[in-house]
Amino acid sequence: MMRALIAPDQVLRVPLLPVLATQALLVRRNARLLPEPTGPREGRTGRGPRLRLLITGDSSAAGVGAGTQAQALSGQLVDRLARHHSVEWQLEATTGHTTLDTIDRLRGIKGEFDAVVTALGVNDVTRAVSCRTFSERQAQLINILSNELEARRIIITGVPQMHRFPALPHPLAWVLGRQAARLDNALQQVVSVHSHVQHLRLDLPDDPALAAPDGYHPSPRAYALWADAAARLLLQA
């Protein structure tokens, strides 16, 4: 039986550990902490066939980097969907949440949803969650959304390309970026076995205007591109 190949970044983590630890500490110390935006986290708007929408996940789902929820993913996505549907929407997202945190949060949610958009992965990367554990938890999350919340359409946003985060210096950005890519590959495998679930990879252009002032979260422009892509998938369905 052949052993799985160890990636270069995994091999170099040990000798690079002092540098990585120092860089992580400096990033955390110098980070500009942005609040979650103000604005409603549920509502009803638009005309047309009823669409019950849930948006869930971490700080990006919560809209950090935008001034208001209207500028964030939730507001911009609802705005696009409301042109075709009567949208009843709900936002369940919190800064710092991992996939496991989101699973725990959703266990307390009651209701049924026609569509769900998730945004998770960055905190799983920074907390060193393994690919296997991440896959298991994402599969559990999809099960809860599908069976307990009866979601008919689920859009799983891919794990962001962390090596492109302006706030992260190299080699820290390289190491986190490689792990993020591995988790996203695992995520695509989880999604592929479900006909009602789709992976949304956000491959945004290199534009400084797409990053929030903290260099870590999306800006309103990035949220607009994200909302465009998610709305296209949901409306196609």
Side-chain angles (χ1 to χ4, degrees), residues 91-130:
L91 173 63
E92 297 289 342
T94 299
T95 298
H97 268 196
T98 62
T99 303
L100 182 59
D101 294 324
T102 300
I103 288 171
D104 291 339
R105 177 171 186 155
L106 293 181
R107 291 197 186 281
I109 301 299
K110 294 183 179 180
E112 299 175 7
F113 296 92
D114 301 301
V116 179
V117 176
T118 74
L120 289 161
V122 168
N123 297 310
D124 293 272
V125 171
T126 59
R127 297 187 195 181
V129 174
S130 69

Side-chain angles (χ1 to χ4, degrees), residues 1 15 20 42 44 56 62 71 73 79 81 104 107 125 133-134 136 160 170 181 187 203 228 233:
M1 182 177 179
L20 298 175
E42 61 181 353
R44 179 182 299 176
T56 189
Q71 299 173 317
L73 174 64
D79 176 70
L81 296 175
D104 291 339
R107 291 197 186 281
V125 171
T133 300
F134 182 67
E136 291 172 349
H170 287 287
L187 180 60
D203 192 8
D228 286 340
L233 293 180

Side-chain angles (χ1 to χ4, degrees), residues 18-69:
V19 176
L20 298 175
T22 300
Q23 288 186 333
L25 181 62
L26 289 174
V27 167
R28 187 168 298 178
R29 180 180 298 170
N30 298 326
R32 180 175 178 181
L33 299 179
L34 299 178
E36 294 183 2
T38 59
R41 292 190 169 223
E42 61 181 353
R44 179 182 299 176
T45 186
R47 292 185 177 181
R50 183 188 189 197
L51 179 67
R52 297 164 298 180
L53 172 68
L54 172 67
I55 301 164
T56 189
D58 56 23
S59 57
S60 61
V64 172
T68 67
Q69 288 295 341

